[in-house]
Amino acid sequence: MYSNIVKFIHDLYKTEEFVPLHAPCFVGNEKKYLNECIDSTFVSSVGKFVDRFEEDMARYCGAKKAVVCVNGTNALHMALMLVGVEENDEVLTQALTFIATCNAISYIGACPVFLDVDRTTMGLSPQAVKEWLGKNSEIRGNSCYNKNTGRRIKACIPMHTFGHPVKIDELAEICRENYIELVEDAAESIGSLYKGQHTGTFGRIGAISFNGNKTITTGGGGMMLFQDEELGKLAKYLTTQAKVPHRWEFVHDRIGYNYRMPNINAALGCAQLENLDRFVQNKRETAALYKDFFSSIPEIEFWEEPENCYSNYWLNVVLLKDKAAQQRFLEYTNDHGIMTRPVWELMNKLPMFCHYETDKLTNTQWFAERVVNIPSSVRL
């Protein structure tokens, strides 16, 4: 069985060489725009490509404003500060996520609370959030508090796992009812839609990543999406060192952050964005081929996009029967030139976060023992 899988993936990517999990694809105006950027000498944080990338991304995603920054982790950090998360506040999130989600919470000195994911989405479960809040929280004035710890529950960060949208409208409603700010970790879901609306635009702020392994890349880089234009302007100001605009004077009236994306990275992003729809369509076609192939292997289930979703299939997923089968699959494929990986180590099991509150995490643990990511690059 495993040898047939290896052969299929090698044939799919038309190579006998090593097949990576996700490699960037440069087939458009990348070199042209990079040369323009270099010729202009504006290669740092000021330049036409920064403005253009923000405007083009806001238009593409249906946001009122977009603000670029150094990476997706910075975007989450800034987003949490902008919605008012402070030291010792609590932030509801999922244990099945990349560590950037929790690192951003920790930068502020806030505390994650890890709640279960849905079996249908792999993302934060509205039902789990609702049940946990019902048992453990109380409303005081216009704030939500954890009855066990006494801490304010200020924000909620769902993550659209592997590009598949969570039930974000249900989470948004729960957050509104409980005076909790919703920040979307849309790092992996550029090009994904939930009920026809782009991920990252349901919450107060959405954070996107353009790391080298994402569907489109700026090398490194991130972005915040806003439906509140004034909040977006404040984000732009704070991420550019909080400098008061002036032609020659350098005056700063708040603590700012050097989270600026260089123009040279934004030039790459502009070219990548021009091909985003093509990339997503190609990745969806790859997913369809995987689905057809794995349908004949009863021991392995191919993960499909959830209901009401249009997924970018950033990383394709197969589910194995148990932990032992997962490990056998990982060992064989990696030994035979196919890069595969399990889901990230669960956040509540890491030494930095193991003492924070959780629910039972039943579905979370189920996925951790079965998920394997398989090669998902755009096929040229």
Side-chain angles (χ1 to χ4, degrees), residues 301-350:
E301 176 188 349
F302 179 74
W303 180 269
E304 297 182 64
E305 64 189 359
E307 187 179 3
N308 297 315
C309 296
Y310 178 89
S311 297
N312 67 5
Y313 283 94
W314 171 56
L315 287 184
N316 286 293
V317 170
V318 290
L319 299 173
L320 281 297
K321 283 192 170 183
D322 53 30
K323 182 72 172 178
Q326 179 197 52
Q327 294 305 305
R328 287 194 298 271
F329 185 99
L330 288 164
E331 183 175 4
Y332 189 93
T333 50
N334 281 284
D335 283 349
H336 291 81
I338 304 295
M339 184 178 181
T340 60
R341 75 174 193 199
V343 75
W344 314 276
E345 184 73 11
L346 299 179
M347 295 300 102
N348 63 301
K349 294 188 175 182
L350 298 177

Side-chain angles (χ1 to χ4, degrees), residues 97-323:
T97 188
F98 181 56
I99 197 169
T101 311
C102 295
N103 280 343
I105 296 169
S106 300
Y107 296 161
I108 299 174
C111 307
V113 175
F114 298 115
L115 303 180
D116 209 1
V117 296
D118 271 332
R119 280 285 287 271
T120 56
T121 68
M122 273 191 289
L124 187 63
S125 166
Q127 188 61 33
V129 173
K130 189 173 183 178
E131 289 180 3
W132 186 87
L133 286 170
K135 295 176 182 177
N136 299 284
S137 73
E138 62 183 7
I139 303 298
R140 304 179 202 164
N142 290 331
S143 295
C144 185
Y145 287 85
N146 185 333
K147 292 187 292 186
N148 305 317
T149 63
R151 298 189 187 106
R152 181 177 63 164
I153 305 167
K154 182 61 179 177
C156 174
I157 306 182
M159 198 268 284
H160 301 291
T161 311
F162 305 132
H164 298 293
V166 303
K167 297 172 183 174
I168 191 65
D169 54 348
E170 295 180 31
L171 287 168
E173 182 59 29
I174 294 168
C175 287
R176 279 192 294 270
E177 292 172 351
N178 290 276
Y179 302 98
I180 295 171
E181 298 283 2
L182 179 61
V183 173
E184 284 180 76
D185 186 344
E188 301 170 0
S189 61
I190 182 68
S192 294
L193 309 176
Y194 181 73
K195 295 184 178 179
Q197 183 174 334
H198 199 285
T199 55
T201 62
F202 289 82
R204 188 89 182 278
I205 307 173
I208 297 176
S209 170
F210 303 114
N211 189 38
N213 66 348
K214 295 301 190 293
T215 304
I216 63 171
T217 183
T218 57
M223 180 173 282
M224 290 172 281
L225 301 176
F226 299 87
Q227 299 297 19
D228 181 340
E229 194 166 356
E230 290 305 311
L231 191 62
K233 290 178 180 177
L234 176 60
K236 185 70 173 180
Y237 170 65
L238 292 176
T239 55
T240 54
Q241 298 284 28
K243 181 181 180 296
V244 178
H246 194 278
R247 286 190 298 160
W248 58 81
E249 292 182 350
F250 280 81
V251 177
H252 307 261
D253 59 0
R254 292 181 62 166
I255 293 174
Y257 298 82
N258 187 12
Y259 283 179
R260 301 169 289 187
M261 176 185 284
N263 195 44
I264 200 163
N265 295 85
L268 192 62
C270 289
Q272 287 272 286
L273 182 55
E274 291 171 351
N275 277 305
L276 176 56
D277 286 338
R278 175 186 174 190
F279 291 169
V280 171
Q281 182 59 37
N282 184 288
K283 288 165 68 60
R284 289 177 62 83
E285 290 169 0
T286 300
L289 292 170
Y290 274 136
K291 176 188 173 183
D292 182 64
F293 174 78
F294 283 107
S295 66
S296 63
I297 305 176
E299 298 93 337
I300 301 175
E301 176 188 349
F302 179 74
W303 180 269
E304 297 182 64
E305 64 189 359
E307 187 179 3
N308 297 315
C309 296
Y310 178 89
S311 297
N312 67 5
Y313 283 94
W314 171 56
L315 287 184
N316 286 293
V317 170
V318 290
L319 299 173
L320 281 297
K321 283 192 170 183
D322 53 30
K323 182 72 172 178

Side-chain angles (χ1 to χ4, degrees), residues 54-115:
E54 289 179 336
E55 292 165 2
D56 289 352
M57 277 295 300
R59 189 179 308 111
Y60 182 90
C61 296
K64 291 185 178 177
K65 189 168 180 63
V67 176
V68 291
C69 51
V70 177
N71 53 53
T73 312
N74 293 154
L76 284 171
H77 179 210
M78 181 57 60
L80 289 170
M81 288 192 294
L82 286 166
V83 301
V85 175
E86 298 176 350
E87 187 176 0
N88 291 321
D89 280 343
E90 292 185 345
V91 179
L92 308 181
T93 191
Q94 57 201 72
L96 196 159
T97 188
F98 181 56
I99 197 169
T101 311
C102 295
N103 280 343
I105 296 169
S106 300
Y107 296 161
I108 299 174
C111 307
V113 175
F114 298 115
L115 303 180

Side-chain angles (χ1 to χ4, degrees), residues 352-367:
M352 310 83 73
F353 305 121
C354 64
H355 57 286
Y356 289 114
E357 192 168 355
T358 74
D359 64 7
K360 293 181 179 179
L361 300 178
T362 304
N363 294 334
T364 300
Q365 187 60 45
W366 189 91
F367 279 119

